[in-house]
Every structure is written in C-alpha cells, then in structure tokens.
Amino acid sequence: GLSGATEVHAAEAAQQNLLTVLGKGEISVKPDIVYLSIGAESYAETAKSAQKSNALKMDKVTKLLKETWKIDDKDIKTEQFYVQPNYTYSDENGRKVKNYTAYHSLEVTLRDLSKVGDLLDASADAGANSIGNARFSVENRDAFEAQVIDNAMANADLKAQATAKA
C-alpha cells in the first residue's frame, strides 16, 4: 500500500509560556491505479527504416490498447521517443555508424489492477519489446491527504492536552 505522513504544529499559550507539540498523521492506502511503461525498440541500417519498423510495432500496440482494451486517449501518452545511431570503433576505421535504433514508449494508465499481467502479455504479443516499471498509485490523493491532516491534528491536540496537564 501507499502511506503518507503529515506533520502539524500546534502552539498553546499557558500563563505566558509557550508549548509546541508535533502531531503525526499516517494512513495506508491500497493503490487503485497503475502507470505502465510500454514501448518498442527497433534496429535497422538506416534511421528511416528503424523508425518505420518501430512505428509498425507501436501502431499495433496502440491499436490493441485503444480497441481491445478500451483505454481512453487521455490514458495513453508518449513517454519517450528517439532515433539514434549506434557506432563501432576500430583503430583502422575510427568511428563508424553500425546501425540505428528507434525507440518509442508510452505511459499507459490502467485502473483495473487485476489486469496488469494480461495487458502486458497482450502488449508483448502485439510487438512491445520494452516494458518498463509499473508505478502503482492512488488516483484521488486529495481525499486521503485530508484524512492524514485530520489524524495529525488530533494527535497534536492529544499531545498538547497531555503536556498541559503535566
């Protein structure tokens, strides 16, 4: 689960004396959303052919995500894209272009966590050959942040009352 902590400082004046307490609030929350990195990498003798080959893979992956898995456009974002040369080096010839790499990855937001494995398998079958980290989170963090602050305030209040009585 995810956890968050917030500190709240409460001050209480008693007979010209100042009392400062630190309140701590913490909750554990089960993730309800995952951000997946799904991409493809291709190699070819020219930049154009590497990019073209990779575009075919990513078109299949994107079609799968949208049509089969019904993932909204807003939940599919380009994360990284590049085409670059790969070099070899020798004393005789110096640096020479060996081939080109084309890479394209998407950040895909999935709200049904029970389907992560199936989605990744289907993406690989469609041509994805670069599957990065899965980042689990909570979609509506604000609701839980308010709970943490309330817990911290209550904790600070208890500490202030107990210390004031001492």
Side-chain angles (χ1 to χ4, degrees):
L2 300 173
S3 66
T6 297
E7 294 180 353
V8 175
H9 298 273
E12 192 175 290
Q15 299 176 348
Q16 303 284 337
N17 295 326
L18 181 65
L19 171 64
T20 303
V21 294
L22 179 68
K24 185 176 180 182
E26 200 169 46
I27 61 172
S28 287
V29 180
K30 190 175 180 179
D32 62 2
I33 195 167
V34 63
Y35 302 96
L36 304 167
S37 178
I38 299 172
E41 187 170 46
S42 299
Y43 301 91
E45 287 187 26
T46 66
K48 184 177 181 177
S49 56
Q51 199 284 323
K52 187 174 182 179
S53 172
N54 213 57
L56 291 171
K57 291 177 188 175
M58 290 306 292
D59 286 347
K60 286 181 185 174
V61 170
T62 303
K63 185 176 179 181
L64 169 89
L65 296 171
K66 290 179 179 183
E67 294 178 12
T68 305
W69 286 83
K70 306 295 185 215
I71 296 176
D72 290 335
D73 286 344
K74 70 178 177 64
D75 291 330
I76 302 171
K77 298 176 186 145
T78 292
E79 187 176 55
Q80 196 172 18
F81 177 88
Y82 62 82
V83 178
Q84 67 186 26
N86 299 308
Y87 297 98
T88 58
Y89 182 84
S90 70
D91 288 338
E92 296 169 19
N93 302 319
R95 187 172 88 160
K96 291 223 178 224
V97 173
K98 176 183 170 187
N99 60 16
Y100 290 83
T101 301
Y103 180 79
H104 185 183
S105 65
L106 302 171
E107 181 185 79
V108 180
T109 303
L110 186 64
R111 288 172 181 79
D112 185 346
L113 302 187
S114 69
K115 296 193 171 148
V116 171
D118 292 338
L119 176 64
L120 294 178
D121 288 344
S123 296
D125 290 344
N129 59 14
S130 176
I131 296 176
N133 65 345
R135 190 169 45 89
F136 293 87
S137 190
V138 176
E139 190 163 17
N140 184 5
R141 298 180 76 85
D142 293 346
F144 298 109
E145 250 178 45
Q147 268 184 284
V148 172
I149 291 169
D150 288 347
N151 290 355
M153 291 293 290
N155 180 257
D157 193 45
L158 275 174
K159 284 181 179 181
Q161 288 177 25
T163 307
K165 288 180 187 173

mmCIF file with all atom_site columns, all heavy atoms in Angstrom, residues 19-40:
data_model
loop_
_atom_site.group_PDB
_atom_site.id
_atom_site.type_symbol
_atom_site.label_atom_id
_atom_site.label_alt_id
_atom_site.label_comp_id
_atom_site.label_asym_id
_atom_site.label_entity_id
_atom_site.label_seq_id
_atom_site.pdbx_PDB_ins_code
_atom_site.Cartn_x
_atom_site.Cartn_y
_atom_site.Cartn_z
_atom_site.occupancy
_atom_site.B_iso_or_equiv
_atom_site.pdbx_formal_charge
_atom_site.auth_seq_id
_atom_site.auth_comp_id
_atom_site.auth_asym_id
_atom_site.auth_atom_id
_atom_site.pdbx_PDB_model_num
ATOM 1   N N   . LEU A 1 19 ? 3.918  26.362 24.498  1.00 0.00 ? 19 LEU A N   1
ATOM 2   C CA  . LEU A 1 19 ? 4.039  24.918 24.360  1.00 0.00 ? 19 LEU A CA  1
ATOM 3   C C   . LEU A 1 19 ? 3.903  24.583 22.879  1.00 0.00 ? 19 LEU A C   1
ATOM 4   O O   . LEU A 1 19 ? 2.924  24.960 22.241  1.00 0.00 ? 19 LEU A O   1
ATOM 5   C CB  . LEU A 1 19 ? 2.930  24.223 25.164  1.00 0.00 ? 19 LEU A CB  1
ATOM 6   C CG  . LEU A 1 19 ? 2.774  22.723 24.971  1.00 0.00 ? 19 LEU A CG  1
ATOM 7   C CD1 . LEU A 1 19 ? 4.016  22.001 25.465  1.00 0.00 ? 19 LEU A CD1 1
ATOM 8   C CD2 . LEU A 1 19 ? 1.546  22.238 25.725  1.00 0.00 ? 19 LEU A CD2 1
ATOM 9   N N   . THR A 1 20 ? 4.885  23.898 22.341  1.00 0.00 ? 20 THR A N   1
ATOM 10  C CA  . THR A 1 20 ? 4.835  23.484 20.944  1.00 0.00 ? 20 THR A CA  1
ATOM 11  C C   . THR A 1 20 ? 4.840  21.969 20.890  1.00 0.00 ? 20 THR A C   1
ATOM 12  O O   . THR A 1 20 ? 5.678  21.332 21.533  1.00 0.00 ? 20 THR A O   1
ATOM 13  C CB  . THR A 1 20 ? 6.058  24.027 20.165  1.00 0.00 ? 20 THR A CB  1
ATOM 14  O OG1 . THR A 1 20 ? 6.070  25.448 20.299  1.00 0.00 ? 20 THR A OG1 1
ATOM 15  C CG2 . THR A 1 20 ? 5.982  23.650 18.701  1.00 0.00 ? 20 THR A CG2 1
ATOM 16  N N   . VAL A 1 21 ? 3.899  21.423 20.176  1.00 0.00 ? 21 VAL A N   1
ATOM 17  C CA  . VAL A 1 21 ? 3.844  19.965 20.029  1.00 0.00 ? 21 VAL A CA  1
ATOM 18  C C   . VAL A 1 21 ? 3.855  19.621 18.545  1.00 0.00 ? 21 VAL A C   1
ATOM 19  O O   . VAL A 1 21 ? 3.491  20.424 17.694  1.00 0.00 ? 21 VAL A O   1
ATOM 20  C CB  . VAL A 1 21 ? 2.587  19.342 20.701  1.00 0.00 ? 21 VAL A CB  1
ATOM 21  C CG1 . VAL A 1 21 ? 2.644  19.518 22.196  1.00 0.00 ? 21 VAL A CG1 1
ATOM 22  C CG2 . VAL A 1 21 ? 1.314  19.913 20.119  1.00 0.00 ? 21 VAL A CG2 1
ATOM 23  N N   . LEU A 1 22 ? 4.275  18.416 18.274  1.00 0.00 ? 22 LEU A N   1
ATOM 24  C CA  . LEU A 1 22 ? 4.338  17.920 16.914  1.00 0.00 ? 22 LEU A CA  1
ATOM 25  C C   . LEU A 1 22 ? 3.337  16.785 16.798  1.00 0.00 ? 22 LEU A C   1
ATOM 26  O O   . LEU A 1 22 ? 3.380  15.831 17.578  1.00 0.00 ? 22 LEU A O   1
ATOM 27  C CB  . LEU A 1 22 ? 5.763  17.416 16.627  1.00 0.00 ? 22 LEU A CB  1
ATOM 28  C CG  . LEU A 1 22 ? 6.033  16.847 15.263  1.00 0.00 ? 22 LEU A CG  1
ATOM 29  C CD1 . LEU A 1 22 ? 5.942  17.957 14.215  1.00 0.00 ? 22 LEU A CD1 1
ATOM 30  C CD2 . LEU A 1 22 ? 7.429  16.240 15.242  1.00 0.00 ? 22 LEU A CD2 1
ATOM 31  N N   . GLY A 1 23 ? 2.422  16.916 15.841  1.00 0.00 ? 23 GLY A N   1
ATOM 32  C CA  . GLY A 1 23 ? 1.442  15.854 15.631  1.00 0.00 ? 23 GLY A CA  1
ATOM 33  C C   . GLY A 1 23 ? 1.777  15.072 14.384  1.00 0.00 ? 23 GLY A C   1
ATOM 34  O O   . GLY A 1 23 ? 2.250  15.620 13.400  1.00 0.00 ? 23 GLY A O   1
ATOM 35  N N   . LYS A 1 24 ? 1.545  13.780 14.443  1.00 0.00 ? 24 LYS A N   1
ATOM 36  C CA  . LYS A 1 24 ? 1.844  12.930 13.302  1.00 0.00 ? 24 LYS A CA  1
ATOM 37  C C   . LYS A 1 24 ? 0.568  12.226 12.861  1.00 0.00 ? 24 LYS A C   1
ATOM 38  O O   . LYS A 1 24 ? -0.184 11.709 13.687  1.00 0.00 ? 24 LYS A O   1
ATOM 39  C CB  . LYS A 1 24 ? 2.913  11.901 13.698  1.00 0.00 ? 24 LYS A CB  1
ATOM 40  C CG  . LYS A 1 24 ? 3.375  11.040 12.558  1.00 0.00 ? 24 LYS A CG  1
ATOM 41  C CD  . LYS A 1 24 ? 4.508  10.123 12.996  1.00 0.00 ? 24 LYS A CD  1
ATOM 42  C CE  . LYS A 1 24 ? 4.947  9.274  11.829  1.00 0.00 ? 24 LYS A CE  1
ATOM 43  N NZ  . LYS A 1 24 ? 5.999  8.327  12.196  1.00 0.00 ? 24 LYS A NZ  1
ATOM 44  N N   . GLY A 1 25 ? 0.340  12.217 11.555  1.00 0.00 ? 25 GLY A N   1
ATOM 45  C CA  . GLY A 1 25 ? -0.808 11.510 10.999  1.00 0.00 ? 25 GLY A CA  1
ATOM 46  C C   . GLY A 1 25 ? -0.340 10.609 9.873   1.00 0.00 ? 25 GLY A C   1
ATOM 47  O O   . GLY A 1 25 ? 0.480  10.997 9.055   1.00 0.00 ? 25 GLY A O   1
ATOM 48  N N   . GLU A 1 26 ? -0.857 9.407  9.844   1.00 0.00 ? 26 GLU A N   1
ATOM 49  C CA  . GLU A 1 26 ? -0.410 8.447  8.847   1.00 0.00 ? 26 GLU A CA  1
ATOM 50  C C   . GLU A 1 26 ? -1.565 7.510  8.504   1.00 0.00 ? 26 GLU A C   1
ATOM 51  O O   . GLU A 1 26 ? -2.333 7.128  9.386   1.00 0.00 ? 26 GLU A O   1
ATOM 52  C CB  . GLU A 1 26 ? 0.750  7.646  9.458   1.00 0.00 ? 26 GLU A CB  1
ATOM 53  C CG  . GLU A 1 26 ? 1.630  6.947  8.487   1.00 0.00 ? 26 GLU A CG  1
ATOM 54  C CD  . GLU A 1 26 ? 2.882  6.413  9.184   1.00 0.00 ? 26 GLU A CD  1
ATOM 55  O OE1 . GLU A 1 26 ? 2.775  5.804  10.259  1.00 0.00 ? 26 GLU A OE1 1
ATOM 56  O OE2 . GLU A 1 26 ? 3.961  6.621  8.628   1.00 0.00 ? 26 GLU A OE2 1
ATOM 57  N N   . ILE A 1 27 ? -1.687 7.167  7.236   1.00 0.00 ? 27 ILE A N   1
ATOM 58  C CA  . ILE A 1 27 ? -2.655 6.155  6.824   1.00 0.00 ? 27 ILE A CA  1
ATOM 59  C C   . ILE A 1 27 ? -2.011 5.311  5.726   1.00 0.00 ? 27 ILE A C   1
ATOM 60  O O   . ILE A 1 27 ? -1.084 5.755  5.050   1.00 0.00 ? 27 ILE A O   1
ATOM 61  C CB  . ILE A 1 27 ? -3.990 6.754  6.295   1.00 0.00 ? 27 ILE A CB  1
ATOM 62  C CG1 . ILE A 1 27 ? -3.763 7.634  5.069   1.00 0.00 ? 27 ILE A CG1 1
ATOM 63  C CG2 . ILE A 1 27 ? -4.727 7.494  7.376   1.00 0.00 ? 27 ILE A CG2 1
ATOM 64  C CD1 . ILE A 1 27 ? -5.045 8.086  4.389   1.00 0.00 ? 27 ILE A CD1 1
ATOM 65  N N   . SER A 1 28 ? -2.480 4.107  5.575   1.00 0.00 ? 28 SER A N   1
ATOM 66  C CA  . SER A 1 28 ? -2.055 3.254  4.471   1.00 0.00 ? 28 SER A CA  1
ATOM 67  C C   . SER A 1 28 ? -3.224 3.136  3.516   1.00 0.00 ? 28 SER A C   1
ATOM 68  O O   . SER A 1 28 ? -4.365 2.939  3.945   1.00 0.00 ? 28 SER A O   1
ATOM 69  C CB  . SER A 1 28 ? -1.674 1.857  4.971   1.00 0.00 ? 28 SER A CB  1
ATOM 70  O OG  . SER A 1 28 ? -0.451 1.923  5.655   1.00 0.00 ? 28 SER A OG  1
ATOM 71  N N   . VAL A 1 29 ? -2.930 3.264  2.247   1.00 0.00 ? 29 VAL A N   1
ATOM 72  C CA  . VAL A 1 29 ? -3.973 3.249  1.230   1.00 0.00 ? 29 VAL A CA  1
ATOM 73  C C   . VAL A 1 29 ? -3.599 2.223  0.162   1.00 0.00 ? 29 VAL A C   1
ATOM 74  O O   . VAL A 1 29 ? -2.460 2.176  -0.290  1.00 0.00 ? 29 VAL A O   1
ATOM 75  C CB  . VAL A 1 29 ? -4.126 4.648  0.583   1.00 0.00 ? 29 VAL A CB  1
ATOM 76  C CG1 . VAL A 1 29 ? -5.199 4.639  -0.469  1.00 0.00 ? 29 VAL A CG1 1
ATOM 77  C CG2 . VAL A 1 29 ? -4.401 5.695  1.635   1.00 0.00 ? 29 VAL A CG2 1
ATOM 78  N N   . LYS A 1 30 ? -4.579 1.437  -0.221  1.00 0.00 ? 30 LYS A N   1
ATOM 79  C CA  . LYS A 1 30 ? -4.358 0.448  -1.273  1.00 0.00 ? 30 LYS A CA  1
ATOM 80  C C   . LYS A 1 30 ? -4.374 1.168  -2.622  1.00 0.00 ? 30 LYS A C   1
ATOM 81  O O   . LYS A 1 30 ? -5.265 1.962  -2.897  1.00 0.00 ? 30 LYS A O   1
ATOM 82  C CB  . LYS A 1 30 ? -5.478 -0.592 -1.198  1.00 0.00 ? 30 LYS A CB  1
ATOM 83  C CG  . LYS A 1 30 ? -5.252 -1.801 -2.061  1.00 0.00 ? 30 LYS A CG  1
ATOM 84  C CD  . LYS A 1 30 ? -6.347 -2.827 -1.824  1.00 0.00 ? 30 LYS A CD  1
ATOM 85  C CE  . LYS A 1 30 ? -6.117 -4.035 -2.695  1.00 0.00 ? 30 LYS A CE  1
ATOM 86  N NZ  . LYS A 1 30 ? -7.128 -5.059 -2.476  1.00 0.00 ? 30 LYS A NZ  1
ATOM 87  N N   . PRO A 1 31 ? -3.377 0.898  -3.486  1.00 0.00 ? 31 PRO A N   1
ATOM 88  C CA  . PRO A 1 31 ? -3.369 1.566  -4.791  1.00 0.00 ? 31 PRO A CA  1
ATOM 89  C C   . PRO A 1 31 ? -4.596 1.192  -5.624  1.00 0.00 ? 31 PRO A C   1
ATOM 90  O O   . PRO A 1 31 ? -5.107 0.073  -5.516  1.00 0.00 ? 31 PRO A O   1
ATOM 91  C CB  . PRO A 1 31 ? -2.092 1.064  -5.457  1.00 0.00 ? 31 PRO A CB  1
ATOM 92  C CG  . PRO A 1 31 ? -1.528 0.020  -4.595  1.00 0.00 ? 31 PRO A CG  1
ATOM 93  C CD  . PRO A 1 31 ? -2.276 -0.019 -3.323  1.00 0.00 ? 31 PRO A CD  1
ATOM 94  N N   . ASP A 1 32 ? -5.062 2.143  -6.442  1.00 0.00 ? 32 ASP A N   1
ATOM 95  C CA  . ASP A 1 32 ? -6.218 1.884  -7.301  1.00 0.00 ? 32 ASP A CA  1
ATOM 96  C C   . ASP A 1 32 ? -5.928 2.224  -8.763  1.00 0.00 ? 32 ASP A C   1
ATOM 97  O O   . ASP A 1 32 ? -6.825 2.215  -9.601  1.00 0.00 ? 32 ASP A O   1
ATOM 98  C CB  . ASP A 1 32 ? -7.446 2.651  -6.803  1.00 0.00 ? 32 ASP A CB  1
ATOM 99  C CG  . ASP A 1 32 ? -7.271 4.164  -6.817  1.00 0.00 ? 32 ASP A CG  1
ATOM 100 O OD1 . ASP A 1 32 ? -6.200 4.655  -7.251  1.00 0.00 ? 32 ASP A OD1 1
ATOM 101 O OD2 . ASP A 1 32 ? -8.198 4.870  -6.399  1.00 0.00 ? 32 ASP A OD2 1
ATOM 102 N N   . ILE A 1 33 ? -4.648 2.527  -9.053  1.00 0.00 ? 33 ILE A N   1
ATOM 103 C CA  . ILE A 1 33 ? -4.281 2.905  -10.409 1.00 0.00 ? 33 ILE A CA  1
ATOM 104 C C   . ILE A 1 33 ? -2.818 2.501  -10.636 1.00 0.00 ? 33 ILE A C   1
ATOM 105 O O   . ILE A 1 33 ? -2.026 2.472  -9.690  1.00 0.00 ? 33 ILE A O   1
ATOM 106 C CB  . ILE A 1 33 ? -4.482 4.429  -10.617 1.00 0.00 ? 33 ILE A CB  1
ATOM 107 C CG1 . ILE A 1 33 ? -4.470 4.794  -12.093 1.00 0.00 ? 33 ILE A CG1 1
ATOM 108 C CG2 . ILE A 1 33 ? -3.497 5.241  -9.835  1.00 0.00 ? 33 ILE A CG2 1
ATOM 109 C CD1 . ILE A 1 33 ? -4.972 6.207  -12.370 1.00 0.00 ? 33 ILE A CD1 1
ATOM 110 N N   . VAL A 1 34 ? -2.499 2.176  -11.876 1.00 0.00 ? 34 VAL A N   1
ATOM 111 C CA  . VAL A 1 34 ? -1.104 1.843  -12.203 1.00 0.00 ? 34 VAL A CA  1
ATOM 112 C C   . VAL A 1 34 ? -0.732 2.544  -13.507 1.00 0.00 ? 34 VAL A C   1
ATOM 113 O O   . VAL A 1 34 ? -1.552 2.658  -14.417 1.00 0.00 ? 34 VAL A O   1
ATOM 114 C CB  . VAL A 1 34 ? -0.872 0.316  -12.291 1.00 0.00 ? 34 VAL A CB  1
ATOM 115 C CG1 . VAL A 1 34 ? -1.682 -0.321 -13.411 1.00 0.00 ? 34 VAL A CG1 1
ATOM 116 C CG2 . VAL A 1 34 ? 0.604  -0.018 -12.463 1.00 0.00 ? 34 VAL A CG2 1
ATOM 117 N N   . TYR A 1 35 ? 0.495  3.040  -13.543 1.00 0.00 ? 35 TYR A N   1
ATOM 118 C CA  . TYR A 1 35 ? 1.038  3.677  -14.731 1.00 0.00 ? 35 TYR A CA  1
ATOM 119 C C   . TYR A 1 35 ? 2.095  2.726  -15.299 1.00 0.00 ? 35 TYR A C   1
ATOM 120 O O   . TYR A 1 35 ? 3.076  2.415  -14.630 1.00 0.00 ? 35 TYR A O   1
ATOM 121 C CB  . TYR A 1 35 ? 1.657  5.034  -14.385 1.00 0.00 ? 35 TYR A CB  1
ATOM 122 C CG  . TYR A 1 35 ? 0.677  5.970  -13.738 1.00 0.00 ? 35 TYR A CG  1
ATOM 123 C CD1 . TYR A 1 35 ? 0.617  6.090  -12.344 1.00 0.00 ? 35 TYR A CD1 1
ATOM 124 C CD2 . TYR A 1 35 ? -0.220 6.713  -14.500 1.00 0.00 ? 35 TYR A CD2 1
ATOM 125 C CE1 . TYR A 1 35 ? -0.294 6.944  -11.743 1.00 0.00 ? 35 TYR A CE1 1
ATOM 126 C CE2 . TYR A 1 35 ? -1.139 7.559  -13.897 1.00 0.00 ? 35 TYR A CE2 1
ATOM 127 C CZ  . TYR A 1 35 ? -1.170 7.668  -12.516 1.00 0.00 ? 35 TYR A CZ  1
ATOM 128 O OH  . TYR A 1 35 ? -2.068 8.506  -11.922 1.00 0.00 ? 35 TYR A OH  1
ATOM 129 N N   . LEU A 1 36 ? 1.862  2.254  -16.505 1.00 0.00 ? 36 LEU A N   1
ATOM 130 C CA  . LEU A 1 36 ? 2.734  1.271  -17.138 1.00 0.00 ? 36 LEU A CA  1
ATOM 131 C C   . LEU A 1 36 ? 3.548  1.914  -18.250 1.00 0.00 ? 36 LEU A C   1
ATOM 132 O O   . LEU A 1 36 ? 3.027  2.740  -19.001 1.00 0.00 ? 36 LEU A O   1
ATOM 133 C CB  . LEU A 1 36 ? 1.895  0.136  -17.735 1.00 0.00 ? 36 LEU A CB  1
ATOM 134 C CG  . LEU A 1 36 ? 0.963  -0.580 -16.776 1.00 0.00 ? 36 LEU A CG  1
ATOM 135 C CD1 . LEU A 1 36 ? -0.019 -1.455 -17.548 1.00 0.00 ? 36 LEU A CD1 1
ATOM 136 C CD2 . LEU A 1 36 ? 1.772  -1.412 -15.797 1.00 0.00 ? 36 LEU A CD2 1
ATOM 137 N N   . SER A 1 37 ? 4.798  1.515  -18.380 1.00 0.00 ? 37 SER A N   1
ATOM 138 C CA  . SER A 1 37 ? 5.642  1.967  -19.470 1.00 0.00 ? 37 SER A CA  1
ATOM 139 C C   . SER A 1 37 ? 5.732  0.832  -20.482 1.00 0.00 ? 37 SER A C   1
ATOM 140 O O   . SER A 1 37 ? 6.273  -0.232 -20.188 1.00 0.00 ? 37 SER A O   1
ATOM 141 C CB  . SER A 1 37 ? 7.030  2.323  -18.940 1.00 0.00 ? 37 SER A CB  1
ATOM 142 O OG  . SER A 1 37 ? 7.862  2.720  -20.002 1.00 0.00 ? 37 SER A OG  1
ATOM 143 N N   . ILE A 1 38 ? 5.152  1.066  -21.664 1.00 0.00 ? 38 ILE A N   1
ATOM 144 C CA  . ILE A 1 38 ? 5.096  0.043  -22.711 1.00 0.00 ? 38 ILE A CA  1
ATOM 145 C C   . ILE A 1 38 ? 5.672  0.640  -23.988 1.00 0.00 ? 38 ILE A C   1
ATOM 146 O O   . ILE A 1 38 ? 5.227  1.695  -24.442 1.00 0.00 ? 38 ILE A O   1
ATOM 147 C CB  . ILE A 1 38 ? 3.635  -0.410 -22.950 1.00 0.00 ? 38 ILE A CB  1
ATOM 148 C CG1 . ILE A 1 38 ? 3.055  -1.013 -21.677 1.00 0.00 ? 38 ILE A CG1 1
ATOM 149 C CG2 . ILE A 1 38 ? 3.565  -1.397 -24.105 1.00 0.00 ? 38 ILE A CG2 1
ATOM 150 C CD1 . ILE A 1 38 ? 1.567  -1.319 -21.741 1.00 0.00 ? 38 ILE A CD1 1
ATOM 151 N N   . GLY A 1 39 ? 6.672  -0.038 -24.553 1.00 0.00 ? 39 GLY A N   1
ATOM 152 C CA  . GLY A 1 39 ? 7.299  0.529  -25.737 1.00 0.00 ? 39 GLY A CA  1
ATOM 153 C C   . GLY A 1 39 ? 7.884  -0.518 -26.661 1.00 0.00 ? 39 GLY A C   1
ATOM 154 O O   . GLY A 1 39 ? 7.762  -1.723 -26.432 1.00 0.00 ? 39 GLY A O   1
ATOM 155 N N   . ALA A 1 40 ? 8.529  -0.018 -27.705 1.00 0.00 ? 40 ALA A N   1
ATOM 156 C CA  . ALA A 1 40 ? 9.180  -0.886 -28.683 1.00 0.00 ? 40 ALA A CA  1
ATOM 157 C C   . ALA A 1 40 ? 10.484 -0.245 -29.119 1.00 0.00 ? 40 ALA A C   1
ATOM 158 O O   . ALA A 1 40 ? 10.613 0.987  -29.162 1.00 0.00 ? 40 ALA A O   1
ATOM 159 C CB  . ALA A 1 40 ? 8.277  -1.122 -29.882 1.00 0.00 ? 40 ALA A CB  1
#
